[in-house]
Amino acid sequence: MRAVLTILAVLSLVFVASCGTKQYAYDGPEVTQIIVNKGDRKLYLMHGTEILKSYRIELGFAPEGRKKYEGDGKTPEGRYVIDRRNPKSAFYLSIGVSYPNRQDVEQARAAGRKPGGEIFIHGGRRPQDPKRDDWTAGCISVKDHEIREIFTMVRLGTVIDINP
C-alpha cells in the first residue's frame, strides 16, 4: 500500500510540475538584427547577413508611411532597438521597440502632437480586435507561436530596422 501511495504522490508531482509556465531556450546563432519590410509584410531575424527566420506580419491599421504622431495607426519606420520584454502582454508575449527616438519626438512636437509610444512586436489578435489584415495601433503582430520563438531568440539591445 505504501508503494502505491508513493507512486501516486510522484505521479501527482510530475503532473503538477508539467502544468506550470514553460521556459523556452534558444542555443542557435545570435540574432544580430531584425529587419522589417512593411511593404512586403515580412520580419526577418538576422545573424549578420544570414536570415535565421522570417515571419509574415500585420501592421498598424494605416500602414502606409512613417508614424508621425499618437493615434495615426502607422507603424514607425527607421532604426530602433529592442528595449524591453513583456512576458505578461495582453497579446501573449511582446518585445518593445525603442520608438519614439529624438527625431520622432521633434517631428510630432513641430506638428503640435504627441509622438505616441508603446510600439511592440507581439502575438496575434485578441477576440475583440478588428478582423482585417492590418489592425494594430502601430505595432507589429505575428502569430502566438511565432512571438514565442522571437521572444526566445531576440535579446535586449538588438537593432531593428523598420523599412517602408
Side-chain angles (χ1 to χ4, degrees), residues 29-33 45-52:
E30 177 184 1
V31 175
T32 57
Q33 179 184 19
L45 299 183
M46 307 294 296
H47 175 74
T49 59
E50 176 189 359
I51 298 172
L52 298 174

Side-chain angles (χ1 to χ4, degrees), residues 23-136:
Q23 298 295 320
Y24 301 96
Y26 173 70
D27 63 357
E30 177 184 1
V31 175
T32 57
Q33 179 184 19
I34 301 170
I35 298 174
V36 173
N37 291 332
K38 289 171 49 175
D40 295 336
R41 301 300 190 275
K42 295 293 274 189
L43 179 149
Y44 301 94
L45 299 183
M46 307 294 296
H47 175 74
T49 59
E50 176 189 359
I51 298 172
L52 298 174
K53 291 282 191 169
S54 67
Y55 306 92
R56 176 107 173 98
I57 59 172
E58 294 174 331
L59 301 169
F61 62 82
E64 301 292 322
R66 169 185 210 105
K67 183 165 193 61
K68 295 180 181 171
Y69 53 84
E70 184 174 53
D72 66 5
K74 297 187 180 303
T75 301
E77 295 174 3
R79 176 166 276 193
Y80 302 94
V81 296
I82 299 303
D83 65 353
R84 59 204 181 280
R85 300 166 66 77
N86 184 359
K88 297 183 182 209
S89 172
F91 297 95
Y92 184 59
L93 295 169
S94 61
I95 57 174
V97 176
S98 65
Y99 176 89
N101 61 28
R102 187 177 311 162
Q103 179 184 356
D104 298 320
V105 171
E106 290 171 1
Q107 181 180 355
R109 282 188 184 154
R113 307 291 294 261
K114 294 178 182 178
E118 300 300 313
I119 300 297
F120 288 87
I121 301 170
H122 61 64
R125 76 182 84 235
R126 303 163 299 182
Q128 68 267 30
D129 292 322
K131 308 292 188 256
R132 57 181 181 261
D133 286 344
D134 293 312
W135 57 274
T136 76

